Amino acid sequence: MSDPQNSEIRGLLDREYAYGFVTDVDEDRIPAGLDEDVVRLISRKKDEPQWLLDWRLKAFNRFLQMLDEETEPTWAKVDYPAIDYQAISYYSAPKPKAELESLGEVDPELLRTYEKLGIPISEQKRLSGVAVDAVFDSVSVATTYKEELEKQGIIFCSFSEAVQRCPEIIQKYLGSVVPYSDNFFATLNSAVFSDGSFAYIPKGVRCPMELSTYFRINAAGTGQFERTLLIADEGSYVSYLEGCTAPMRDENQLHAAVVELVALDDAEIKYSTVQNWYPGDKDGVGGIYNFVTKRGACRGRRSKISWTQVETGSAITWKYPSCILQGDDSVGAFYSVAMTNHRQQADTGTKMLHIGKNTRSTIVSKGISAGHGEQSYRGLVRIGRGAENARNHSQCDSLLLGDRAGAHTFPYLETLNPSAIVEHEATTSKIGEDQLFYCMQRGLSEEDAVSLIVNGFCKEVLRELPMEFAVEAQNLLGLSLEGSVG
Amino acid sequence: MAKGATKTPILELRDVHAEAGGTEILAGLSLRVGAGEVHAVMGPNGSGKSTLANVLAGRPSVHVTEGEVLFDGQDLTALSPEERAREGIFLAFQYPVEIPGVANMVFLKTAANALRKHRGEPELDAMDFLALLRDKAKLVDMDDKLMQRAVNEGFSGGEKKRNEILQMAILEPRLAVLDETDSGLDIDALRSVADGVNSLRNADRSMLVITHYQRLLDHIEPDHVHVLAGGRIVRSGGKELALELEERGYGWIENTTAQEARPG
């Protein structure tokens, strides 16, 4: 008890990463390196149509240009040694076991893995009320509740399967929100993406269960480049969740994903993420580089897209889930909790691009920084010329634990329409000794006291999460309290 | 045997010295509190009243450098603040702390269950707790709306102090330390807080009422009164001591103590 600020940090942060195990499976793996043949090989493995290969190749050529021009983004407040893109294997899939009876059968080793992760995918044990697409390294290994969802016309499957089943939808929407030339990491992804999830919610359908994807990196020396595409047709609703974990390794592994969302007239998409990639050890060795492009287009009138993220993992996070508010009266929201400790670095935030009339956006960002963690909120609110009566409210709060952590806020604001109302609030605070002592005097342990205070700090964001994830998020944040969210 | 030590003491301080920020504040304080007794500790500003409260509750910035602090015969200084709370020591804070985003009810339930768990009792579920809370809130005349609000956030001075007494009612301590609970209260709030405290008096619960002014003791009648000056108890007596002090001021005590301290 000599130094509560430090001992509480130790208690909270020295907790073992619970998902750091490795699954022993044979891999079908493309050797490290990146050239046109690798792109063609990935496309061939997926039995893709020519137009998709062409799209990949355009992206690949653009990526080569970007490498030449050294346009890897450096503006973020994160620091890492140069990545050798030739040292990464761009495809690794668990080999199907010969003894499996049917094609639909999943390797028991993989079933055990997901069970261990708390996401059972076998018929008998699958979670109720949540359909799960399980992505293991470069491929989707199982999707639950597919048939049940199909009865309502909902398509929920791996991206690769969607390319075969409904190529016309993919061709129409792929790259329509995040073009292949969008940015360095999105362009790399467009060339080499291997799998991901796809969902289409037909007109007027309210998706009866949570859709979710669980991303697992297992193989060493690989990157994960998945692509998710969700289309909510007119008047439909879907809530989608994603979770991510990876083994503990000394190497840094690259995860460069792209997520595209499209909401048509009166459609609503709630997209939630609980990101718990391996963060590296306390000295900053190992961990995932999470360089992700996520963007949603509110194309239709009165459409809504909300991003909710709880970011506790990854060595480095570079991620700005954004909304293009194109349809009149469309609504965008971004709710974020990011936690960095030890040597973790996060540069995260959002972009709200107001194009349509009467568009509204809300940004709530909560950053918790401990140890030597470095964290930045970076957000752009842009009110276009035609965005009459656009509204934005941004609130960015940072909570520091200890005196070696950093918190920074970089709000960018561009207003081209004088009728806009844009508000930005920001605060930085520390967990006070007084708060801790007050809680402990009432019988709470130091760890529970920190959890309670952090939980309170994040409350506005945590209450946006679906119930299933709220619990996981609380645990991740070291919050063991029951019933305190909501 | 000195007055106030007729029963087995639940709390005993023997020649306690304590410092905070490198300055010695308690300088040989001795005190015995028996089970079910209410003791008032009065003293001028800077005499060490709040430090005494913090020594008992275990605030990390206050260190006992000499002497013994015994609670139920065990060494209190060996226990962490939460262990002391679980053993039944409750401090009603002079300045209750705000905890943004944490509903008052959630905080109270968490605390109540931490103590129940320690005592090996089953934890209360939301419904049972709500019933308990409603029942206890009546004692301090506390508005239901304050249960849903964040802990102490935006509470008036009176609401904060009522909230402290409500916590005491729920946590049912064996020793309650009230640190200047009367400060910042108007007469109506003072009365309802005092009524709450009085309703919690019983044969198994001791109280240490720390105050600068006599007026709180008009409402909470103490069994014993001690005067603290220069980090020591310089005078002890019955409730009439408080009245005398009110009449003659702290200067009286400081002068007489100085004389007593003179050699010869």
Side-chain angles (χ1 to χ4, degrees):
Chain A
M1 266 311 298
S2 58
D3 185 345
Q5 285 279 325
N6 284 332
S7 62
E8 130 263 306
I9 290 168
R10 275 194 295 277
L12 190 62
L13 309 185
D14 288 352
R15 207 170 288 178
E16 190 84 6
Y17 183 71
Y19 308 98
F21 63 91
V22 179
T23 307
D24 185 17
V25 283
D26 289 337
E27 302 160 22
D28 168 16
R29 179 191 184 105
I30 300 179
L34 180 60
D35 58 22
E36 196 177 307
D37 289 343
V38 167
V39 177
R40 287 180 184 278
L41 187 55
I42 293 171
S43 184
R44 198 155 60 238
K45 278 182 184 294
K46 306 264 163 201
D47 200 14
E48 283 175 354
Q50 185 63 39
W51 64 264
L52 188 49
L53 174 61
D54 292 345
W55 192 77
R56 284 178 181 277
L57 290 173
K58 271 194 293 188
F60 176 67
N61 287 322
R62 179 78 189 103
F63 184 69
L64 289 182
Q65 241 177 2
M66 286 172 155
L67 274 179
D68 269 357
E69 294 162 1
E70 298 178 0
T71 48
E72 183 166 342
T74 52
W75 42 261
K77 199 174 160 43
V78 296
D79 189 28
Y80 58 95
I83 297 170
D84 179 357
Y85 293 94
Q86 294 301 340
I88 300 172
S89 162
Y90 287 85
Y91 186 91
S92 173
K95 263 190 197 154
K97 287 233 168 89
E99 67 266 28
L100 294 181
E101 305 248 309
S102 71
L103 275 175
E105 212 173 315
V106 182
D107 183 344
E109 195 60 42
L110 294 178
L111 291 180
R112 271 195 293 279
T113 297
Y114 282 92
E115 220 162 284
K116 227 165 139 180
L117 295 169
I119 313 287
I121 49 174
S122 66
E123 255 337 277
Q124 302 79 24
K125 293 179 184 165
R126 62 187 186 177
L127 299 169
S128 65
V130 185
V132 180
D133 183 27
V135 175
F136 191 86
D137 289 330
S138 304
V139 290
S140 164
V141 292
T143 310
T144 61
Y145 290 107
K146 246 167 34 180
E147 291 76 19
E148 286 87 338
L149 291 166
E150 263 162 37
K151 284 179 193 142
Q152 303 208 36
I154 296 166
I155 306 172
F156 178 51
C157 61
S158 73
F159 197 93
S160 305
E161 188 181 331
V163 169
Q164 305 302 329
R165 275 178 60 183
C166 45
E168 66 296 336
I169 302 181
I170 303 282
Q171 195 165 8
K172 182 170 174 189
Y173 290 106
L174 178 70
S176 74
V177 188
V178 180
Y180 72 83
S181 56
D182 191 79
N183 69 71
F184 189 84
F185 297 112
T187 301
L188 174 62
N189 173 287
S190 301
V192 301
F193 74 91
S194 46
D195 214 337
S197 298
F198 171 82
Y200 170 79
I201 319 298
K203 273 184 197 170
V205 171
R206 198 180 161 85
C207 187
M209 59 177 80
E210 305 282 345
L211 302 187
S212 82
T213 305
Y214 197 94
F215 294 103
R216 173 75 178 166
I217 292 177
N218 185 62
T222 60
Q224 192 177 57
F225 306 90
E226 85 278 2
R227 211 162 167 113
T228 297
L229 178 60
L230 304 185
I231 315 294
D233 211 328
E234 291 171 20
S236 69
Y237 167 85
V238 63
S239 172
Y240 176 92
L241 335 160
E242 63 174 2
C244 350
T245 58
M248 293 162 75
R249 289 212 173 88
D250 289 347
E251 62 171 358
N252 293 110
Q253 285 180 276
L254 178 61
H255 172 255
V258 171
V259 175
E260 295 180 280
L261 312 182
V262 178
L264 302 182
D265 284 359
D266 300 296
E268 180 174 358
I269 301 176
K270 274 176 76 85
Y271 193 105
S272 310
T273 303
V274 174
Q275 185 265 105
N276 188 26
W277 294 119
Y278 178 53
D281 72 7
K282 62 184 176 18
D283 301 316
V285 176
I288 301 292
Y289 292 163
N290 192 38
F291 299 161
V292 170
T293 304
K294 292 184 168 178
R295 198 173 300 154
C298 282
R299 284 219 179 124
R301 289 162 179 261
R302 298 168 300 275
S303 57
K304 285 184 191 172
I305 290 180
S306 74
W307 299 98
T308 303
Q309 59 172 18
V310 175
E311 304 277 321
T312 59
S314 296
I316 302 177
T317 298
W318 178 97
K319 174 177 169 191
Y320 315 89
S322 305
C323 297
I324 302 170
L325 302 169
Q326 201 175 334
D328 290 349
D329 303 292
S330 61
V331 179
F334 173 73
Y335 301 98
S336 171
V337 169
M339 184 157 173
T340 49
N341 58 52
H342 297 315
R343 302 278 171 178
Q344 278 179 283
Q345 306 171 61
D347 193 301
T348 184
T350 185
K351 286 189 277 188
M352 292 292 170
L353 308 172
H354 292 253
I355 297 167
K357 295 185 181 67
N358 306 313
T359 47
R360 284 175 290 142
S361 65
T362 304
I363 297 171
V364 179
S365 165
K366 303 279 180 176
I368 303 148
S369 205
H372 290 92
E374 278 292 331
Q375 182 157 155
S376 304
Y377 165 80
R378 191 182 301 278
L380 168 68
V381 176
R382 187 174 194 278
I383 312 289
R385 226 174 281 283
E388 289 292 323
N389 299 314
R391 299 279 182 278
N392 163 267
H393 183 84
S394 303
Q395 189 191 323
C396 303
D397 299 322
S398 304
L399 186 67
L400 295 170
L401 285 80
D403 51 11
R404 295 164 302 173
H408 318 273
T409 304
F410 303 101
Y412 304 82
L413 186 58
E414 294 170 24
T415 307
L416 301 174
N417 187 309
S419 65
I421 297 178
V422 178
E423 298 163 318
H424 180 91
E425 289 176 51
T427 65
T428 300
S429 53
K430 276 187 149 193
I431 285 193
E433 192 194 307
D434 284 350
Q435 283 179 327
L436 281 177
F437 180 59
Y438 190 69
C439 293
M440 291 161 73
Q441 211 300 307
R442 298 300 184 248
L444 276 67
S445 68
E446 195 168 26
E447 198 169 277
D448 287 348
V450 171
S451 293
L452 189 79
I453 295 164
V454 168
N455 186 351
F457 175 75
C458 302
K459 185 175 185 163
E460 287 163 276
V461 173
L462 296 179
R463 74 176 170 211
E464 295 295 327
L465 286 174
M467 269 315 286
E468 293 82 352
F469 263 27
V471 176
E472 188 186 340
Q474 277 185 68
N475 290 337
L476 272 181
L477 289 167
L479 313 180
S480 53
L481 297 163
E482 285 175 17
S484 46
V485 172
Chain B
M1 205 179 248
K3 204 178 173 190
T6 45
K7 296 178 187 171
T8 317
I10 183 151
L11 177 70
E12 183 165 16
L13 283 81
R14 292 184 189 150
D15 192 30
V16 170
H17 293 248
E19 60 95 19
T23 307
E24 184 172 89
I25 297 171
L26 297 187
L29 187 149
S30 297
L31 181 67
R32 287 163 73 103
V33 177
E37 293 176 353
V38 175
H39 288 234
V41 175
M42 301 181 70
N45 292 329
S47 59
K49 297 194 298 292
S50 284
T51 301
L52 171 60
N54 287 327
V55 160
L56 298 175
R59 188 183 281 273
S61 56
V62 176
H63 306 283
V64 174
T65 52
E66 256 185 85
E68 283 181 293
V69 185
L70 302 172
F71 180 67
D72 228 1
Q74 71 172 323
D75 176 14
L76 207 52
T77 61
L79 302 182
S80 65
E82 67 268 32
E83 287 165 336
R84 299 178 198 209
R86 292 168 191 172
E87 288 298 324
I89 292 181
F90 178 89
L91 171 61
F93 283 64
Q94 184 180 1
Y95 304 109
V97 179
E98 298 182 1
I99 310 176
V102 178
N104 203 25
M105 195 164 86
V106 171
F107 180 70
L108 289 169
K109 177 168 166 255
T110 306
N113 280 335
L115 266 56
R116 292 179 71 90
K117 200 173 156 192
H118 176 73
R119 294 195 293 253
E121 295 165 12
E123 296 188 19
L124 293 175
D125 65 20
M127 292 311 289
D128 289 344
F129 182 74
L130 194 63
L132 176 71
L133 187 63
R134 290 247 159 85
D135 187 39
K136 301 291 186 187
K138 283 184 214 142
L139 296 178
V140 285
D141 195 16
M142 185 129 158
D143 194 334
D144 250 17
K145 276 180 281 187
L146 294 177
M147 306 305 166
Q148 304 301 333
R149 296 242 302 267
V151 180
N152 292 321
E153 203 177 40
F155 285 28
S156 70
E159 286 167 344
K160 284 183 180 173
K161 295 300 173 76
R162 276 174 226 235
N163 199 27
E164 292 294 290
I165 304 308
L166 172 63
Q167 294 182 43
M168 173 175 156
I170 284 168
L171 300 179
E172 301 185 323
R174 286 195 291 158
L175 173 68
V177 181
L178 278 56
D179 188 8
E180 308 223 16
T181 295
D182 53 327
S183 68
L185 294 187
D186 63 31
I187 190 66
D188 291 336
L190 180 67
R191 191 170 290 130
S192 71
V193 164
D195 287 349
V197 172
N198 285 328
S199 70
L200 296 171
R201 284 177 83 153
N202 69 38
D204 302 319
R205 180 168 299 135
S206 309
M207 296 187 190
L208 202 58
V209 180
I210 294 173
T211 180
H212 188 99
Y213 300 104
Q214 196 272 335
R215 65 168 192 163
L216 178 63
L217 305 180
D218 287 341
H219 302 278
I220 304 173
E221 200 176 297
D223 301 312
H224 304 278
V225 175
H226 309 276
V227 181
L228 187 61
R232 304 169 57 193
I233 301 288
V234 294
R235 190 168 293 239
S236 297
K239 62 187 176 197
E240 66 287 348
L241 178 59
L243 293 167
E244 198 176 353
L245 203 58
E246 178 82 353
E247 213 168 284
R248 305 176 71 167
Y250 284 111
W252 160 62
I253 290 290
E254 278 158 8
N255 292 337
T256 53
T257 326
Q259 278 162 21
E260 282 163 11
R262 256 203 321 252

